[in-house]
Amino acid sequence: MHLELTSLPSVVDMQDPLNEDQAKLKQNLQKAERKKRLRSLMLTLPLLAFIMITFVVPIAEMLYRSIDNPLIAKNLPNTVKSLSQWEQQGLPDKEAYNALAEELIRLYQSKSLPPLASRLNIEVAGMRSLMMKTGRKLSTFEQINDYKTAMIKIDKRWNNIEYWGAIKNLSSKFTISYYLAALDFRQNAQGDIVAQPEHRQVYLNLFVKTLGLSALITGLCLLLGYPLAYLLATLPDSKSNLLLILVLLPFWTSLLVRTTSWIVLLQMQGVVNDLLLYVGVISERIQLVHNTFGTVVAMVHILLPFMILPIYSVMKGISPDYFRAARSLGATPTIAFIKAYMPLTMSGVGAGVLLTFILSIGFYITPALVGGRSGQMISNFIAYHMQSSLNWGMASALGGILLLTVLIMFYLFNRIVGINNIKVGN
Amino acid sequence: MLNSINLKPYILLPIFLGISLNACSADKLTVVSWGGSFTKSQVEAYHKPYIKETGVEIVSEDFNGGLAEIKAQVESGNVTWDLVSLDKPDIVRGCAEGLLETFDPSILPAGDDGTPAKDDFIEGAIHKCAINSIVVSTILAINENQFKGKATPTKMTDLFDLKTFPGRRGLQKIPQGNMEWALLADGVSAEDVYAQLETREGRDRAFNKLNTIKEHVFWWTTGAQAPQMLADGEVVISSAFNGRISNAKRDENQPFKIIWDRQMGYMNGWAIPKGSKNLERAIEFVVFSSKTKPLAKQAAYVSYGPTRKSSTINMDKALLDTLPTAPQNFETAFLVNDEWWGDYADELNEEFNTWLAK
């Protein structure tokens, strides 16, 4: 039958145009599909542009700034060249003095010395005024035969390898010096990487403290949030809605208002101290704010909704049948809760923990207001370098390390919990 | 839905804005200061008379001090601020980093009594990047209610005397001023303070002195905190900016008392970010505002001392007594060396922060 059919020429002839038509149809269909896809892609373009402009580009710029070091190579090319053979042991040769002196005069006269002097001052204190003074005085001399003697006469610090070492260490276009400083290391005059002197080691401890505090705050949020989320999920709707509003109301209140309210409550002459004193728990007023305790309390309060909401939404979707089934199979309420119910909530817990932890690592305003001396975190120092010390390279390096820490946390979290198992809702 | 919205205005708006901004920049100055009662004193003493005389429009903006915004504007080449009220340490630093316009001090007019400008201004007020208009002092202040029937602190060293004056102290969370006070209280003479702070021994000496009160210190960061903590009874003695304390006394009837002994004086004045689009007008404003009368007028609104000696000549005695520059207040004053801090701030800030965290 089949053979007969194909052997008929008319049928064969008819099949070909049909194929052609089909192919055309397919092509048209594909075209339409592509148009559709393109259109939907176009719809996501604003979002893509938004993410690029507000997220990707600034982060890339920040990372670039943390290693960018153009000033010395650009402004002191001859000095850098003549220092290239220098072993950083004894003083550099006369040629280096000559090159630096000539370039200092040129930079001073064109008024472009200040930024360079400031950059070097970050590495060695006092170098700003040393460079400015030397440039200013050299410019006033009529004729100089021996730059080396002249420079040492202007300031005997030019006899010190420390200052030459700083120029040499920063002579390339890119530097790791900000990252070294952010990890409490420095490059000494010989160019070796050594630990910062003890009285200047601040950042490493601060990173550890920031991570520790964030872990503590996340743990406390989980401890407080889990039972509350369970209560919210199991109460009848009329009651749970009211409770949910109580959770959300502070969530919608300004962060600043909530933080300053904690100061009012916890300060020495505040309500909490009054109450404790009245009840007789304490015999004299204790310090509850402007320290680590204050930071932890205020941050737990502020971050609690971020823990409760994902857990609640996951719990809401768990059928009570599982619990009943476990009970009917002989489990005690506790066992049934731990073995049957809790594993089902883990995806919500995962989301809550990750959200709270990452938010608290970067927290800035609350520690600044209630942290006092001991409750400061790494973001407070990033802000300090942005606003006060104007050392934006350092701020970028600290930010870069913070970013890396978050990525590592995310990776570890993915390995342990699995990112696919995270649920914010159902 | 989308078709029904006319997109034309949205496309035209940015273009229109761009044009109008350019058109406006000709006779409009953007003047940036610290807000609150301080900005008000400047508006009354400088802005209003200047607008009246020249007809130039002034847009007043607020900021929190520091150089971060100026640096961002100068680096991006889009300078929108024309005049900024900067503290002397920031003036020195901004000048050193090349963020500020420089100007020739010979353009300053003589005082109303005929004294040439360079003699009329107190030492250090004329800087190549700014004209300082006021002397601000970091002083110690107490709440008299807390010392009723008890010995009252009267001198700077009482800050470190926990035995006679127990209780918490408020200090600003920066090394500037605190390091100097610690060394002075430890018996270092005023001339030797900065030489000592250059050495390891000197710094350790200062930190050791501060260690004696470290556990009793509340470290404040913004000017409003100090009077607040004093009023709340959170601290018994606190460092503060003198104007904040005077204003709290005058406007809120707070029972505060200023200890002028070893006041740490520094200045504040007008600086112009490098690349200001209205440079000529801005310089005109600086010259106008630094004349004898406007300087005297500002002191009536906020208790900071005018930098021109001629401004105090016809001043009300009661007002003069509240200023840091009044002779009896200024006797033991210590002038903060801003040039020195320009060199050592990076390093000492790190040491100070390490010490704080310990």
Side-chain angles (χ1 to χ4, degrees), chain A residues 231-347:
Chain A
L231 191 67
L232 281 173
T234 48
L235 275 180
D237 273 357
S238 58
K239 283 179 188 165
S240 75
N241 278 345
L242 186 73
L243 268 183
L244 199 62
I245 286 174
L246 291 180
V247 171
L248 287 174
L249 213 58
F251 187 56
W252 292 329
T253 313
S254 149
L255 186 91
L256 269 173
V257 171
R258 278 182 288 164
T259 307
T260 36
S261 310
W262 277 112
I263 300 179
V264 176
L265 282 177
L266 293 176
Q267 65 184 350
M268 284 280 216
Q269 310 293 330
V271 186
V272 174
N273 255 315
D274 284 347
L275 196 72
L276 290 176
L277 210 61
Y278 178 74
V279 177
V281 182
I282 50 172
S283 57
E284 66 181 58
R285 291 176 184 274
I286 48 169
Q287 196 188 340
L288 298 168
V289 75
H290 301 305
N291 54 15
T292 311
F293 181 79
T295 303
V296 172
V297 171
M299 279 180 67
V300 165
H301 174 232
I302 286 162
L303 292 172
L304 205 48
F306 292 97
M307 184 65 90
I308 293 174
L309 293 176
I311 299 180
Y312 163 74
S313 67
V314 167
M315 281 179 171
K316 199 75 185 153
I318 297 172
S319 159
D321 294 346
Y322 296 120
F323 190 76
R324 271 183 234 137
R327 288 282 283 142
S328 74
L329 287 172
T332 61
T334 326
I335 298 285
F337 184 79
I338 295 173
K339 293 231 158 155
Y341 191 79
M342 264 171 74
L344 291 170
T345 63
M346 272 310 148
S347 53

Side-chain angles (χ1 to χ4, degrees), chain A residues 360-399:
Chain A
S360 61
I361 276 187
F363 238 59
Y364 156 67
I365 194 74
T366 303
L369 286 173
V370 300
R373 178 173 71 82
S374 55
Q376 300 295 309
M377 295 169 83
I378 199 74
S379 359
N380 300 104
F381 279 77
I382 296 179
Y384 163 75
H385 281 301
M386 284 302 292
Q387 292 161 355
S388 305
S389 79
L390 295 188
N391 189 348
W392 290 1
M394 186 69 184
S396 305
L398 289 170

Side-chain angles (χ1 to χ4, degrees), chain A residues 114 128-129 200 269 373 384, chain B residues 96 234 342-343 349-350 356:
Chain A
R128 187 200 322 262
S129 62
R200 285 182 68 180
Q269 310 293 330
R373 178 173 71 82
Y384 163 75
Chain B
E234 289 292 305
D343 264 357
N349 265 310
E350 261 177 10
L356 274 181

Side-chain angles (χ1 to χ4, degrees), chain A residues 65 114 118 121 125 128-129 199-202 267-269 287 290 372-373 376 381 384 386 389-390, chain B residues 67-68 71 75 93 96-97 168 173 200 214 218 232-234 342-343 347 349-351 354 356 358:
Chain A
R65 242 181 211 281
S118 293
N121 199 65
R128 187 200 322 262
S129 62
H199 51 262
R200 285 182 68 180
Q201 293 178 6
V202 63
Q267 65 184 350
M268 284 280 216
Q269 310 293 330
Q287 196 188 340
H290 301 305
R373 178 173 71 82
Q376 300 295 309
F381 279 77
Y384 163 75
M386 284 302 292
S389 79
L390 295 188
Chain B
L67 293 163
K71 179 167 166 154
E75 278 193 9
R93 188 174 185 117
E97 303 223 1
R168 305 215 323 135
K173 202 167 137 193
R200 182 78 259 135
K214 189 177 180 183
F218 162 76
D232 289 351
E234 289 292 305
D343 264 357
E347 191 177 82
N349 265 310
E350 261 177 10
E351 289 194 23
T354 313
L356 274 181
K358 250 190 275 185

